[in-house]
Amino acid sequence: AAGVIQSPRHLIKEKRETATLKCYPIPRHDTVYWYQQGPGQDPQFLISFYEKMQSDKGSIPDRFSAQQFSDYHSELNMSSLELGDSALYFCASRARGGVNTEAFFGQGTRLTVV
Amino acid sequence: AQSVAQPEDQVNVAEGNPLTVKCTYSVSGNPYLFWYVQYPNRGLQFLLKYITGDNLVKGSYGFEAEFNKSQTSFHLKKPSALVSDSALYFCAVRAPLGGYQKVTFGTGTKLQVIP
């Protein structure tokens, strides 16, 4: 069965550079969530989209932006990268169907800022 | 505000022995509870969830969890541990009307199964 695909799997950037992370949800899933997991930390919700519109916003820095496209894939854009942005970023997708539908997580993009 | 506590940073268990990873929660209303497993440099993999019904929930890879409302606990269990079960385990909770943006994760428990 198709899963949530994230690319790239690993990314190394220098401070002050920009990075773009991509998330391809499971087909027919219309909701995407982005999370950030720092080293030894629990995942923190960043932002979510439903039907290509931002649905909720968590602890996402102003330097970050995201969008969901017509094919439902989502991109997380990160600018002016800082060392503290080094983390595992993963997204989850979910189908419409009420509060009981399950979210499925991608394998994550490991971002290292040097 | 909802919260999840995983009191043990690490649990060590011998292969073949039963394992328990503890989780307690706090949430308004009836909770939706989840367990996820994370292998190094990988995303979260869903193991099981409790929404309603039987207090004993069976999930993937032989894991199960017991919902205890009076103790506000949702401990993860497995009768016989495998070395391949060694990973990081996260308990999570959300209120019934909250989406996954409202999920609160615990800090994780590292399970080490010793051959």
Side-chain angles (χ1 to χ4, degrees), chain A residues 1-68:
Chain A
V4 177
I5 305 297
Q6 289 188 246
S7 68
R9 291 292 310 279
H10 302 275
L11 189 59
I12 300 175
K13 290 286 186 178
E14 295 187 354
K15 283 194 303 184
R16 293 180 288 278
E17 284 192 318
T18 61
T20 297
L21 280 54
K22 297 183 180 182
C23 171
Y24 297 88
I26 292 172
R28 291 181 295 281
H29 282 196
D30 52 16
T31 304
V32 169
Y33 306 86
W34 283 97
Y35 296 85
Q36 176 193 56
Q37 185 180 22
Q41 303 292 317
D42 55 300
Q44 296 293 319
F45 168 71
L46 291 177
I47 195 167
S48 62
F49 293 88
Y50 169 67
E51 280 292 345
K52 294 154 278 185
M53 299 289 289
Q54 181 182 307
S55 56
D56 208 343
K57 202 170 182 179
S59 51
I60 184 169
D62 292 340
R63 300 177 289 109
F64 294 5
S65 64
Q67 57 183 322
Q68 186 179 31

Side-chain angles (χ1 to χ4, degrees), chain A residues 68-85:
Chain A
Q68 186 179 31
F69 294 87
S70 57
D71 64 350
Y72 294 101
H73 93 273
S74 179
E75 296 185 2
L76 178 65
N77 298 294
M78 310 160 71
S79 63
S80 302
L81 288 169
E82 302 173 356
L83 295 178
D85 296 329

Side-chain angles (χ1 to χ4, degrees), chain B:
Chain B
Q2 60 193 37
S3 64
V4 175
Q6 292 181 243
E8 302 153 317
D9 289 336
Q10 181 159 336
V11 169
N12 297 320
V13 63
E15 185 177 22
N17 282 4
L19 69 88
T20 299
V21 182
K22 296 180 180 178
C23 171
T24 58
Y25 67 90
S26 173
V27 69
S28 297
N30 295 320
Y32 285 17
L33 295 158
F34 306 83
W35 275 103
Y36 291 90
V37 59
Q38 186 178 36
Y39 296 96
N41 294 313
R42 304 288 291 272
L44 300 177
Q45 294 181 36
F46 171 78
L47 280 180
L48 51 80
K49 67 180 178 183
Y50 171 84
I51 294 178
T52 187
D54 289 340
N55 289 343
L56 186 63
V57 179
K58 294 188 182 296
S60 307
Y61 312 119
F63 283 92
E64 58 189 27
E66 186 168 11
F67 171 64
N68 187 316
K69 188 172 183 178
S70 63
Q71 297 184 4
T72 62
S73 67
F74 190 57
H75 301 331
L76 181 70
K77 300 181 179 183
K78 187 173 182 181
S80 178
L82 301 173
V83 173
S84 57
D85 293 330
S86 298
L88 189 58
Y89 290 80
F90 287 95
C91 181
V93 66
R94 68 175 173 94
L97 296 181
Y100 276 82
Q101 61 271 37
K102 305 297 185 186
V103 169
T104 298
F105 290 90
T107 51
T109 298
K110 182 179 180 181
L111 174 66
Q112 190 75 39
V113 181
I114 303 162

